[in-house]
């Protein structure tokens, strides 16, 4: 790997370590009218025909908007175990296509069992190839088990596709395979986490759906939804209603949860119950209710404990009521409780977050006066505060004081200080502290190294960055994708794309598979460097590894090709995109239109607009504003004004754009 020297005349080599690209055969467009003409027409002709026939006849633009459990089943010998291990290894390296071929070859010999198929399904899910995972799970030629489908259920839920996850349970039963309780938990958890603050209502419906499917729900499933009702702003009536319905509607007997109802059914609340309720009240800022609950505790024979006060203090501090928090600390001894280091740390963190340093110092003095020893958390709070405020030199004194108090700085402490040094531009000090960590009995982790690498790259110290990454590997600290992507990003920003490609190779040598960000960054760098053919080659490498490019990657390549005037090649690429969502994304087409307008090709941009519409993608406001600015910049001010006026009259642009462009 060489990050120091740039060799502009040497094209990137992607043959030794990366899989050879397979360029798909692209069919020619069947309709000439759907693509820009190869011969460039006169600009005025393009304006007089395309503008009226395409841009102004379009519909108004839409308004802008802001690891698997171990597989079950037996009957597979050592050979099958090696097969599943091979499949897992290939999938972990992003080589799902090779893993699938290995599975097919073994199946042809009769040597593939359910464990191997489960490994392949899981591999597809981890690679984001959910459609392939579902097809394989539905068609495995051996009797499936629950772990054949569990990765699919989990992947669907991670994407918010709750209905599809529920349908998988039906498919399992059709194949004689019973779902397992962890599946219900994953589905309910996904339903509870839906955005908008009302996910609990969706979760209740899912709970009903699961019960209707004959799923044996347990108290943990039901409490998950009950907690969501409380955490997401549901009313007490909704929670009580659900609690009452658990036995009859869901076949689940409740445990300790809501007080009045619990007492009524003979299940009295305990300290855990009150802790849960107080936590809910604090998270929602209902501090006036906390005093009522504390009073109710006595009525139910419960005594507030130190944990409860720590919960109250945490909630009060997060809401910014630091005076109230300090008052609670002062009153605790009158209740027979001495504040511990957790209570003090909670308030100290709140004071530091509010940058109320004088009061924080007073609280530290109070801790000493009350014989409350400082712990590692105390010092880490102070270290973070100093580093966030640029007081890195005071941190060195603090590290020495930690040792005096019998506290040993841990990796979090050192990493926080290193980050503080780098933020202040003290890269040499950060490097020195990183190297001294081991001597202090604290081994740097990947995050520590990555922060320093980022600092070195920011200072354009490529040789030092290269040396540090080599030292990192020698010390047995494996770089992760974030580490490599950090350096790759800086290299590409500086136009050092060949070194970035070398780093992609180093990732593979170190057992770290390039991810979507890795490829996206390098492809964008190649495009901006005018190396579009290399960018297309790397795109094919990425696709052959089973990864799906996103809109950002396609936009980068399309923009680069447009700058070179290779519009037909852009259209070929667009026609080969299989993902309907990407094909209909206006951002992708706008990248081409913008690139054409910037190089004085507004006539070609207007023609490309016709292709955009014929491909089923409607322009948005950005599309039109790019074209209008392009026309104006080329001197066609009158045509730009006419287009703007007509688009506003048709509702495709908002009226304020007329004033924005200086048209009254």
């Amino acid at each position: 790997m060489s990050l120091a020297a740039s060799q502009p005349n040497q094209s990137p080599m992607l043959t030794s370590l990366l899989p050879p690209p397979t360029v798909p055969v692209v069919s020619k467009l069947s309709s000439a009218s759907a693509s820009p003409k190869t011969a460039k027409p006169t600009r005025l002709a393009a304006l007089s025909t395309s503008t009226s026939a395409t841009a102004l006849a379009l519909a108004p633009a839409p308004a802008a908007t802001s690891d698997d459990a171990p597989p079950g089943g037996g009957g597979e010998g050592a050979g099958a175990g090696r097969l599943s291990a091979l499949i897992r290894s290939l999938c972990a390296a992003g080589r799902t296509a090779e893993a699938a071929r290995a599975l097919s070859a073994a199946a042809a010999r009769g040597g593939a069992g359910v464990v191997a198929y489960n490994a392949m399904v899981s591999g597809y899910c981890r690679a984001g190839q959910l459609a392939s995972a579902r097809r394989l799970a539905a068609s495995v030629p051996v009797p499936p088990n629950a772990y054949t489908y569990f990765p699919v259920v989990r992947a669907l839920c991670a994407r918010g596709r709750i209905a599809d996850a529920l349908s998988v349970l039906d498919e399992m039963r059709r194949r004689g395979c019973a779902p397992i309780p962890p599946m219900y938990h994953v589905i309910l958890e996904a339903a509870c986490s839906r955005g908008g603050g009302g996910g609990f209502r969706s979760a209740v419906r899912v709970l009903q759906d699961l019960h209707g499917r004959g799923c044996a729900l347990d108290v943990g499933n039901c409490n998950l939804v009950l907690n969501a009702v409380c955490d997401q702003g549901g009313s007490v009536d909704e929670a009580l209603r659900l609690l009452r319905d658990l036995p009859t509607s869901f076949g689940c007997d409740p445990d300790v949860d809501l007080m009045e109802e619990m007492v009524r059914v003979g299940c009295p609340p305990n300290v855990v119950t009150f802790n849960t309720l107080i936590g809910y009240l604090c998270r929602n800022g209902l501090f006036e209710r906390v005093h009522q609950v504390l009073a109710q505790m006595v009525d139910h024979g419960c005594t507030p404990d130190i944990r409860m006060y720590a919960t109250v203090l945490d909630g009060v501090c997060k809401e910014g009521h630091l005076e109230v928090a300090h008052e609670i600390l002062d009153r605790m001894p009158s209740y027979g409780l001495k504040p511990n280091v957790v209570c003090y740390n909670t308030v100290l963190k709140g004071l530091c977050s509010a940058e109320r340093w004088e009061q924080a110092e007073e609280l530290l003095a109070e801790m000493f006066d009350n014989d409350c020893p400082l712990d590692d958390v105390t010092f880490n709070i102070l270290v973070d505060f100093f580093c966030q405020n640029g007081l890195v030199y005071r941190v060195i004194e603090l590290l020495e004081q930690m040792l005096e108090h019998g506290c040993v700085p841990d990796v979090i402490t050192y990493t926080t200080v290193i980050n503080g040094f780098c933020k202040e531009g003290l890269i040499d000090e950060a490097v020195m502290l990183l190297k001294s960590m081991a001597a202090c009995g604290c081994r740097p982790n990947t995050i520590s190294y990555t922060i320093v690498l980022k600092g070195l790259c920011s200072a354009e110290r490529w040789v030092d960055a290269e040396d540090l990454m080599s030292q990192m590997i020698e010390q047995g600290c494996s770089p992760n994708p974030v580490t490599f992507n950090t350096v790759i990003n800086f290299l590409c920003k500086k136009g050092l794309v060949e070194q970035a490609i070398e780093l992609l190779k180093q990732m593979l040598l170190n057992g770290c598979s390039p991810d979507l960000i890795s490829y996206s960054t390098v492809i964008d760098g190649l495009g901006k460097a005018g190396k579009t053919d290399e960018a297309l080659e790397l795109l094919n490498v990425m696709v052959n590894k089973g990864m799906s490019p996103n809109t950002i990657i396609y936009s980068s390549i399309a923009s680069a090709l447009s700058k070179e005037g290779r519009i037909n090649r852009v259209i070929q690429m667009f026609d080969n995109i299989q993902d309907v969502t990407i094909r209909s994304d206006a951002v992708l087409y706008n990248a081409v239109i913008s690139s054409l307008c910037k190089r004085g090709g507004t006539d070609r941009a207007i023609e490309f607009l016709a292709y955009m519409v014929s491909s089923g993608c409607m322009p948005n406001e950005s599309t039109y504003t790019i074209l209008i600015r392009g026309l104006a910049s080329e001197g066609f001010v009158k045509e730009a004004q006419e287009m703007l006026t007509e688009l506003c009259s048709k509702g495709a642009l908002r009226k304020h754009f007329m004033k924005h462009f200086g048209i009254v």
Side-chain angles (χ1 to χ4, degrees), residues 28 75 314 319 354 375 377:
K28 295 182 179 180
D314 182 60
E319 289 295 316
D375 63 3
V377 176

Side-chain angles (χ1 to χ4, degrees), residues 123-138:
Y124 276 140
C125 290
R126 291 178 184 277
Q129 299 171 254
L130 190 49
S132 299
R134 294 192 71 180
R135 283 195 298 270
L136 181 59

Side-chain angles (χ1 to χ4, degrees), residues 115-145:
V115 175
Y117 283 101
N118 291 356
M120 191 68 243
V121 170
S122 179
Y124 276 140
C125 290
R126 291 178 184 277
Q129 299 171 254
L130 190 49
S132 299
R134 294 192 71 180
R135 283 195 298 270
L136 181 59
S139 62
V140 291
V142 296
N145 58 28

